[in-house]
Amino acid sequence: MTDQNNKTNLILRAQNLSKSFGGVKAVVSVSFDLHEGELLGVIGPNGSGKTTLVNLITGFLKPDRGKIEYKGQDITGWTPYRIARIGIARTFQMIRPFAELPSFKNLIIPLYSPRVKALSGGKYGDLDAVAKDYLEEVGFERESSVTYKPAGSLPHGYLKRLELAKCLALRADLIILDELFSGLSIAELASIVPIIEKLVSEGKTVIMIEHRLRELFRIADRVVVLNYGSVIADGIPSEIMEKPEVRKAYLGSE
Amino acid sequence: MWEVAIIYGFINSVILALTALGFSLTFGISGVPNFAYGAMYIFAGFVSWLLLNKLELPFFASALIAIAFTAILGAAMYRFVLLRVRGLVISEVIATFGVGLIILELFRYLGFSGFEYTLPVFSDGSLLIGHTYVDYQRLWIVGVGILLAIGLYFFTHHTKIGLAFRGIAQDEHTALSLGINSDRIAGLSVAFGSGLAAVAAILILPRGTISVNDGYDVLINAMAVCIIGGLGSSVGVVLASFIIGYAQIMTDILSGPQWKMIISLIAILVILVVKPSGLLGKQKELEERI
Amino acid sequence: MKQRRKERIDRGIKARSDDVFSLNSFREMLYVAVPPLAPVLILLILPLELPSYWQKVLVSTCVFALLAMSWDFLVGVGMVSLGQALFFGVGAYIAGISNKILGLPIWIDIPIATVLGGAICAVLLTPVLRLRGVYFSMVTLVLPLMLERIVEASGAFGGTEGISGITPFPNSYTESYLIVFATLFALFAFRRLVTTDYGLVLKAIKDNDRAVMSVGINIYWMKAQALFISGCVGAFCGAFITHVYGFVGMPSFALDYSILPLSSAVVGGMGTFAGSFLGAFILVPLSEALRGIGGLRIVLYSFFLVFFIVALPEGIFHYIQRKYQQFERWVEVDK
Ligand SMILES: Nc1ncnc2c1ncn2[C@@H]1O[C@H](COP(=O)(O)OP(=O)(O)OP(=O)(O)O)[C@@H](O)[C@H]1O
Ligand SMILES: [Mg+2]
């Protein structure tokens, strides 16, 4: 890729983002650029501000300082729903599905979004059928019982997939996954990783917050390391763990 | 005239703050919305009246016992009603509201109304401040009110249980991991708030007869002050009390007492539009952990 | 060791996905049709059969059932109102003013009061929607009581005297059937509404508002819509009663209009609307029958309220529904 190409491809730019809670500095002057089609991993020890960063980008928290640009537009201080409408989807670290609803009905919520309505020509139509399509895409067997089971009773692996399906249903361009891999078995991981790889190959941009470094490094194009709220490293996966400050941050905390 | 406004505005503000502080404190500590607050206030009034007139106890003894009883009632409400629905906001609201109604309407049914239901003033007579007469009871209210505020500050910042209160209020999880029993603290906070309602009742009620309807008024006023000041913020409550307290006295003097309530209403509507979480609301909009 | 345990089995006909079921016999058809048809038939026949006193009771029962449903709807979106009296009172005053002072005929002022009342309540309460938890309850509790005091103190809209001489309904059948139809309509419309995609989103807001926001839905706008819908129902009740009594005044903001609907919905069972309906049809006639005990009535309602919310939060309707849809039998189990 040439330099010029990179510039036109810029999708997200964070500049000097800072956020503190009372005395705790959760995010300190974080800046990074993200290009279309990239898979960015964000890692860091517990409490290093990863989730806070996600909340800042998606509008759930207002930054104390700094600026966020998405596709050249300044979105700092926008409400979460406005940000979602322009194509940024996220998952939550604490997954809380709509427990009483059947799995496929969980997707009605994103499908009801004004974004989806606008993208599909201004009408909602039969959402149930569309919902089942998306579930199939993330590996729910079509017309199987899991599709109809209350989401509260789904196994962990399916819950994570359901979260992914929500991002798909929203037809987001930038997808932010907050610790999607946590708590998954190797087998479950093996079935989810291809879905993410497929997303990237389709041109979506993905940010993955992860503690499962091995799995992340296999698929990430680039990794940003946070410690005490600041970026201490930013580079390609194969080199990132070699940096002394990263080793120190991780060894120091474990 | 300005002198009257300043003096009576101050007294009115202290009264408002006194009636609201307990509600705000309970909520600030444990998140329990005590909608039975007005009932606790009236309960204290009638209990101390009964002790005083039926058992013929001395006034201060009956007042202290009434405060203790009210606190116990609060604790009992927590133990037998709230504990079972802890964490379900809908149920907490409905349950405390229902308990309050039961208490208030039971008093009404039992015929507790009339001129004989009065509490004695602490001391008779009045004092001339400048050109304005102020009766001793109002001075008592102001004095105790201010002492109480200082005492509360000291209590929450320097005693063990007060610090535990604040610990729970600030971060329940950390407090739990430090071995603070959040259920016990929440129960205590409800008892404590109810006790404060009782203190307010003993101080304020001698100014007139005790009537069940006052229970609703106290609840409305407490809510109004908390909405304006910011729920759970004691400083906010005091600030709001002074704003409303003075605004009420000014409207009273300038355009008649019937407009007093309108001031509170306007204040509520304005604050809802300008800053829904109240002047010093701790509850920042959705800024919670996700 | 042998132990006895209660076993519950779904009756064969009830398909869990509640979309598809096939009816194989007339009996099964009855089984499905009776529950929704029974209230319809009873309500349609009652106004013809009841003596005029009990007809009034029916009317106020329906009003409380409507208020209870409008309360229940709000709870389903996560808003616990302690002041349906606000909706009721606003509707009542708009109807009274537009009928008596502006001279609008009854069939015009009721719809106006319904829609305008709903809109006013929604606008008044919208700012609170940005806050979670008990703020909504506090504000809804305070506003109607405050408005009552203000009307009293300022003498606005007739003050303590209220406005009387408002056009009554042409006859008692119009009156009864209007409210009966309104109640049935609301019952089925609400029950239908909550199963639509729109209703699903509303419910999702209650369960997890952040997840809903994160897909681009403006939850405040959705909640304001819910407020409007609920407000319209409440305001309609107020407007209706104004014409029944030919009078509107401070009592329209009274606590009764907040408490009784709340008790009805909780006792009947929240979240089903049929529960609110059932609760009102138990509590309101009961309170008429118990008029002898006077003031103890409110104590009794409140007691029911607390008892059910603490001990039987699912309410009567769920219980009946379970009995109707499931067999129960004692079985021996090895322990
Ligand atoms: N709403 C909040 N109020 C107060 N402090 C907060 C809040 N959210 C986060 N913090 C603090 O900010 C810091 C960063 O938290 P954050 O959740 O962003 O970390 P994280 O990197 O996501 O950690 P983990 O790997 O455990 O998920 C922590 O010290 C945390 O306690
Ligand atoms: Mg995190």
Side-chain angles (χ1 to χ4, degrees), chain C residues 260 263-265 267 278-288 301 304:
Chain C
L260 199 45
S263 303
S264 302
V267 169
L278 193 67
F281 274 82
I282 294 171
L283 287 187
V284 181
L286 182 72
S287 91
E288 278 307 318
Y301 294 145
F304 276 138

Side-chain angles (χ1 to χ4, degrees), chain A residues 21 24 26 45-52 93 179 211, chain B residues 287-289:
Chain A
F21 301 102
V24 184
N46 287 110
S48 57
K50 304 181 295 294
T51 301
T52 307
Q93 185 172 351
E179 300 199 15
H211 279 302
Chain B
E287 270 214 3
E288 297 159 59
R289 246 163 238 260

